[in-house]
Amino acid sequence: MRHILTILILIFIFGCSTKEPIDKNFTSKYWNLNIKEQDSNLIKYKDQALYFNKGVAYFFDKKIANYSISNDTLIICDTSYYDKWIIDNGIRSSAKVDIKFHKYIKDDSLYRVTYKYLIGKILKANTDSLIIKRIEGYGFPFKYNNIYRFYNDTMLYDLNIKVDSIEFSSSLCYGSCPAIAIKIDKGLNLNFWGGKYSDKQGYFKGQISKSQIDRFENLIRIANIEKNDSEYEPPIDAPYVELIIDYNSNKTKRFWGYLWDFPPRIRNIGLEMFDLYKYSSLDSCDCKLNFDVQLDIPELRIPPPPPPEMIEEMFRDDIEINEIE
């Protein structure tokens, strides 16, 4: 009886101390950062996504670095090779290449520099939660806290969303960005306008498949569209986009600005809309199609003259010089 009791106690202790297995497939999910109000350094990144794609880790729409997993350790680091001339002449930032490296370098040698964004122990990785303890690392965003908690963003699914239509447009830029506008709806209709630099130019009509509209509906359901901001001001040299989602018969959500600043899930919707016309069967049409998104037709946009006070300011120096002379 005593031996049986001992065995039961050992089984109980062993069962209680068994660590939950780590789901190595956690890199196939999007992980939203769970931040408390007192974590002031990261509060503005609350609910932003950490995700992994083709061997690279991303956070808040920004590429971090290559990643690898060794047992229960997540390693995110950037390894580069520099020769002495590059380091001596300060081509790279001091954050990655410091003067202390110089003594290890011969004039004709290459030096490997590894920037450790994060070396972290995976405390938990399952369907819903990812918890990482920082062992080492000083890269964004892993230089602020010792423990990072994430939740699977598919927990935000809103299965009640029923898409009525999606419209997307993209403008020209200082380079060769294509100007397009595209609309799809639950009736499987596709309308497209292609402007300058577009693969197809003019007005076109076509059809999409039921599986395609279902895919967009699923993307929108997990994008948490109602809780995200609407405007993301683009840089002066970048194209702007407009994304309008009509859903549940009487609701509309509009996103405008720089596509690469959109939250990852919403940006994915824009990227798929941007490419949809390239692999869709379209018929050219003579009639002008109407879109709610703003079309980029620059020849119709004549900028107004600057106000008089601005003109005076522009030539103020010339006026002052003439007066002196």
Side-chain angles (χ1 to χ4, degrees):
M1 186 67 180
R2 182 181 299 173
H3 294 300
I4 295 175
L5 184 60
T6 303
I7 292 172
L8 290 175
I9 293 173
L10 290 173
I11 291 173
F12 177 78
I13 294 173
F14 179 77
C16 291
S17 63
T18 300
K19 183 181 178 182
E20 181 180 352
I22 293 173
D23 177 12
K24 292 296 180 68
N25 293 323
F26 74 84
T27 55
S28 64
K29 301 178 177 69
Y30 278 58
W31 297 99
N32 285 14
L33 183 61
N34 187 6
I35 286 295
K36 298 178 180 179
E37 296 297 328
Q38 61 265 31
D39 298 325
S40 57
N41 288 325
L42 287 172
I43 191 65
K44 65 180 179 179
Y45 301 112
K46 181 180 179 180
D47 297 326
Q48 295 300 328
L50 170 72
Y51 58 103
F52 306 86
N53 185 32
K54 297 181 180 179
V56 178
Y58 297 83
F59 178 73
F60 190 57
D61 310 334
K62 303 293 189 295
K63 175 181 176 180
I64 304 176
N66 293 337
Y67 79 91
S68 61
I69 300 170
S70 177
N71 296 321
D72 62 352
T73 303
L74 174 64
I75 303 168
I76 303 177
C77 64
D78 177 20
T79 300
S80 303
Y81 294 85
Y82 306 101
D83 61 32
K84 188 173 187 299
W85 186 91
I86 289 178
I87 294 178
D88 283 346
N89 288 275
I91 303 302
R92 297 291 174 172
S93 68
S94 59
K96 289 190 177 182
V97 181
D98 195 89
I99 193 170
K100 66 184 180 183
F101 296 133
H102 290 206
K103 61 184 178 182
Y104 301 110
I105 306 170
K106 297 178 181 179
D107 289 344
D108 58 350
S109 70
L110 290 176
Y111 185 74
R112 185 178 71 180
V113 176
T114 299
Y115 188 78
K116 299 173 184 176
Y117 288 85
L118 173 70
I119 298 178
K121 184 176 182 179
I122 304 170
L123 301 180
K124 185 176 182 180
N126 59 21
T127 303
D128 300 326
S129 300
L130 173 64
I131 302 176
I132 302 171
K133 179 180 181 181
R134 182 182 64 174
I135 299 172
E136 189 177 355
Y138 33 80
F140 172 79
F142 301 107
K143 60 184 178 180
Y144 300 110
N145 296 353
N146 291 322
I147 299 291
Y148 290 83
R149 293 178 172 84
F150 301 86
Y151 63 89
N152 184 354
D153 79 346
T154 56
M155 295 171 65
L156 301 174
Y157 267 64
D158 184 354
L159 297 178
N160 296 317
I161 287 182
K162 302 292 183 183
V163 171
D164 299 314
S165 66
I166 309 170
E167 288 190 60
F168 175 85
S169 67
S170 184
S171 77
L172 296 171
C173 63
Y174 285 169
S176 56
C177 308
I180 67 166
I182 187 168
K183 178 180 181 179
I184 59 175
D185 61 42
K186 62 183 179 182
L188 307 184
N189 300 300
L190 186 156
N191 291 345
F192 173 76
W193 171 79
K196 191 173 183 180
Y197 300 122
S198 172
D199 290 355
K200 296 179 180 179
Q201 298 190 8
Y203 290 98
F204 296 85
K205 284 189 173 184
Q207 293 283 308
I208 59 173
S209 66
K210 180 67 166 56
S211 62
Q212 285 176 309
I213 193 67
D214 287 345
R215 171 169 173 75
F216 276 106
E217 191 168 69
N218 285 330
L219 288 174
I220 289 169
R221 285 173 172 172
I222 63 177
N224 203 22
I225 60 173
E226 292 184 335
K227 294 185 179 180
N228 276 293
D229 294 336
S230 297
E231 296 192 359
Y232 301 84
E233 193 69 29
I236 192 171
D237 59 342
Y240 66 79
V241 305
E242 187 174 18
L243 175 65
I244 299 176
I245 301 169
D246 292 321
Y247 61 103
N248 294 2
S249 300
N250 61 355
K251 290 188 174 182
T252 298
K253 182 69 177 184
R254 173 183 178 268
F255 297 94
W256 179 91
Y258 186 41
L259 181 62
W260 291 98
D261 280 344
F262 286 12
R265 291 290 195 183
I266 297 169
R267 185 182 68 224
N268 285 351
I269 299 169
L271 289 173
E272 296 217 13
M273 287 291 289
F274 184 86
D275 287 333
L276 186 58
Y277 79 97
K278 296 179 183 178
Y279 53 83
S280 298
S281 178
L282 299 174
D283 295 322
S284 179
C285 60
D286 297 328
C287 60
K288 181 178 179 179
L289 303 175
N290 294 319
F291 297 88
D292 289 334
V293 290
Q294 184 174 354
L295 302 184
D296 192 313
I297 308 178
E299 60 269 19
L300 299 182
R301 295 182 186 174
I302 302 174
E309 60 270 18
M310 184 176 293
I311 296 176
E312 181 179 341
E313 183 68 28
M314 290 167 60
F315 294 98
R316 184 180 300 279
D317 291 341
D318 293 339
I319 294 171
E320 291 176 353
I321 289 172
N322 290 333
E323 289 177 351
I324 292 172
E325 293 176 348

